[in-house]
Amino acid sequence: MAAAAAAAGGVPSQQCFLLSVTGQVESARLAGADQLYCRYQLHGGPDWDIVTGLEEGISQVSRPSQDARQLLVWNLPVEVSYKATNPYGWPQLIVSCYGPDLFGNDVIRGYGVSHLPTAAGAHRVTLPLFVPESTSQLQKLVSWFTGRRPELADASSLATGDGRDVMRVRSQGYVTCSFQVVTKDLQRLGYDNGRRAPAGAAGGDLQPAGGGDGRPG
Amino acid sequence: MVRGKDSSSAEVHFIGQIVSGSGFSDSQLFCRWSIQTGGAWHHVEGLKEGQTHADCPQLGQAAIWCHPVDVHYTIKGITGWPKLVVQVYSLDGFGRFDICGYGFCNLPSSPGAHSIDCVIWRPTGSLRDEFRQQFVGGGPQLRDPQLVYTSLDRYRIQTTAMGTVHVQISVILRNFARYGIEY
């Protein structure tokens, strides 16, 4: 579901910064999971627009390795570029892991959520997984039989942090992701995210202006 | 929709998560958090308080919350740098909750990604109160939650240590150099 850039409602590109993330959902470790596939979603705030890339994806079904690591490997690429005017609403990656239960129904095995890294460079992120639980024992028994476990209607609601107080969860396992992050014009707009630009960097567009003189924008 | 923003004021963004709580002896834990600032800080957008879900971890593991924190402030002075104040509660099988501990930590003042451990403590009563709390629950609670992040009147209470809350916060500053703020 790639969203092409709007010409951003008249906001000149000098007020926008770009965030480009290329990474992958590498692997997961989850005890007791025989097969697992994952779905990722990216959720950004109202001031963020996707320029290129997909904001959702589904992986292949993976089985754990036969060695002591018991690692489930997906190697699922996540590549997205954002254009934004405001670091508020920094995009978050939400991973939902599904697998079959005893009767073969696809049930949710865990959710993980994390912000994309806020500084350029290479990052390795571990997302602990948690799965919603029924509050009563009877409900747990019924959902075990019918295969309809409690599940979030919209996983991207995990990104807002609202309404979580009514959830009860059980945490188990984690997902490992790695990202390479490049930003543009964050420093030119006055932001400091702890990452100093290399010496000799100047602001401006990569394409020279119409007169061909290449002056900074 | 991408909105334009004016770029003249000094701004601070805190972007991160309340990740987990470890070292607690109770099992179903949730956390209520809030961010307290001084008067020079103007809150622009983002939730500055909230409550996490209740997690029941595996034996010996940390309670995972992964609760997003994304707040945007503009500042008129450097005093009153924000503090993150947390209260950890435990749920029992009947749906009742009981205070597990209080704690606060200072949000980082330098840009970049930070990992913070927030120590948690709980007020204790007399020996009789502790004994009763083991069976019935409902130990002493702070009447004024401001005591968690201020230093007045602390000498009146006795506390015991509980676990630790782990927070990951990235700080982005804007226009600090223009106003001569060194960090």
Side-chain angles (χ1 to χ4, degrees), chain A residues 8-9 11 15-16 31 45-49 83-90 92 113-115 118-119 127-130 133 135 158-172 186 189-196, chain B residues 1-7 11 13 15-17 19 28 45-47 50-58 61-72 91-95 111-113 170-176 178 183:
Chain A
V11 175
Q15 288 194 26
C16 295
D47 292 333
W48 289 75
D49 269 344
K83 178 170 165 172
T85 54
N86 188 0
Y88 172 70
W90 199 278
Q92 297 182 58
V113 59
S114 173
H115 285 277
T118 55
L127 283 70
L129 294 174
F130 52 88
E133 270 210 324
T135 41
L158 287 175
T160 54
D162 235 350
R164 288 239 210 149
D165 41 343
V166 298
M167 264 172 65
R168 298 216 195 153
V169 304
R170 187 182 74 246
S171 59
Q172 189 184 15
L186 254 185
L189 290 174
Y191 290 104
D192 185 356
N193 61 353
R195 184 94 187 163
R196 296 272 178 262
Chain B
M1 227 263 293
V2 176
R3 296 176 291 183
K5 288 269 193 291
D6 80 314
S7 58
E11 300 172 29
H13 292 264
I15 296 166
Q17 283 189 341
V19 181
Q28 277 202 322
E45 50 196 346
L47 294 170
Q51 185 174 319
T52 69
H53 56 233
D55 181 33
C56 187
Q58 302 238 294
Q61 307 286 323
I64 301 295
W65 295 313
C66 289
H67 193 96
V69 172
D70 192 345
V71 207
H72 178 196
L91 267 181
D92 68 4
F94 301 108
S170 295
V171 178
I172 299 179
L173 308 176
R174 190 181 193 196
N175 293 332
F176 269 40
R178 188 192 297 194
Y183 52 87

Side-chain angles (χ1 to χ4, degrees), chain B residues 7-34:
Chain B
S7 58
S8 56
S9 44
E11 300 172 29
V12 183
H13 292 264
F14 297 106
I15 296 166
Q17 283 189 341
I18 299 181
V19 181
S20 61
S22 65
F24 293 93
S25 49
D26 302 295
S27 63
Q28 277 202 322
L29 298 169
F30 66 92
C31 168
R32 294 177 77 167
W33 61 274
S34 65

Side-chain angles (χ1 to χ4, degrees), chain A residues 52-70:
Chain A
T52 62
L54 302 168
E55 60 179 354
E56 285 194 354
I58 298 189
S59 76
Q60 75 277 21
V61 179
S62 170
R63 289 176 170 272
S65 58
Q66 299 297 316
D67 52 17
R69 293 176 308 165
Q70 295 287 293

